[in-house]
Amino acid sequence: MRTRTLLLTLAAALLAGILGVVASVAVLGPGPLLRSRLGTVLVGLMDQRRRGELALGTPLPSMILPDASGVPHALPHAGRATLVNYWATWCGPCREEMPLLDRFASAQSGPAAVDVVGIALDDVAPVRAYLAELPVHFTILIEAPAENDSSTRAGNQTGILPFSVLVDARGRIVARRYGAFQDAADLRDWAEKAK
């Protein structure tokens, strides 16, 4: 009887812990969990098992993607550091992060500026609707989500959104980030890695 009570208590505690993690990810997105000590260890283990991913310091391959109007744009930008942010209209943390990225992009000027480019892993129609509702002042490109899309090749083997890649002025990947930026200082500090 005592063993059974202990097992039920342990099972209830385990279930409560799992539900807490699920609720946290549902409300805040995966970013805070992935930046925790445990998340850092797990991402590190995943990094060791990835295949076909570009290593830090490797040039981001050239790509041409259309914007919401169908106009093609080339990446990376020659001679400019670029923050590439992968997002989707159905992603709550992505939508919440968009105004922060827009303010950051608007504040960038001069030769040391960091360009911001959003790549929506989405269909054209919902992206157009989102941009009509909440316009941004940086380039938004569209790519159909696929098993080997540019997000995956740049290091997003888990499919977590938002996912950001920082490319220096020479076109090399210098940092990756899973999850949304918390505030302007968090975003600014991360973007400093491109210099």
Side-chain angles (χ1 to χ4, degrees):
M1 183 73 139
R2 220 174 176 166
T3 304
R4 183 173 185 227
T5 303
L6 178 62
L7 288 175
L8 286 174
T9 303
L10 288 173
L14 180 61
L15 180 60
I18 291 170
L19 290 175
V21 168
V22 168
S24 172
V25 169
V27 171
L28 301 173
L33 178 63
L34 289 173
R35 286 188 297 275
S36 71
R37 187 174 296 224
L38 175 61
T40 303
V41 169
L42 291 174
V43 169
L45 290 173
M46 288 188 301
D47 279 343
Q48 293 174 0
R49 296 179 181 194
R50 294 178 179 161
R51 286 184 229 144
E53 172 187 311
L54 300 172
L56 292 179
T58 303
L60 182 70
S62 297
M63 63 180 101
I64 298 176
L65 295 171
D67 62 20
S69 299
V71 176
H73 294 262
L75 279 178
H77 295 158
R80 302 276 302 200
T82 307
L83 186 162
V84 180
N85 178 263
Y86 289 93
W87 66 288
T89 58
W90 49 262
C91 168
C94 300
R95 294 173 68 99
E96 291 173 16
E97 178 184 56
M98 199 61 67
L100 178 66
L101 290 168
D102 192 40
R103 286 190 300 275
F104 176 80
S106 294
Q108 298 297 302
S109 64
V114 176
D115 288 346
V116 177
V117 176
I119 298 180
L121 297 177
D122 215 323
D123 293 322
V124 174
V127 172
R128 284 183 183 156
Y130 176 81
L131 294 174
E133 176 187 325
L134 182 68
V136 297
H137 300 93
F138 60 91
T139 304
I140 299 290
L141 306 178
I142 302 171
E143 181 178 15
E147 189 173 317
N148 196 28
D149 57 31
S150 65
S151 165
T152 305
R153 291 189 308 274
N156 190 6
Q157 302 295 313
T158 60
I160 291 172
L161 294 178
F163 173 71
S164 296
V165 178
L166 189 60
V167 180
D168 69 12
R170 290 185 271 170
R172 297 174 305 174
I173 297 171
V174 293
R176 292 185 185 92
R177 181 182 178 113
Y178 293 97
F181 293 98
Q182 300 304 305
D183 54 38
D186 182 29
L187 174 53
R188 194 174 46 252
D189 292 346
W190 190 78
E192 283 292 316
K193 297 175 183 178
K195 297 178 180 175

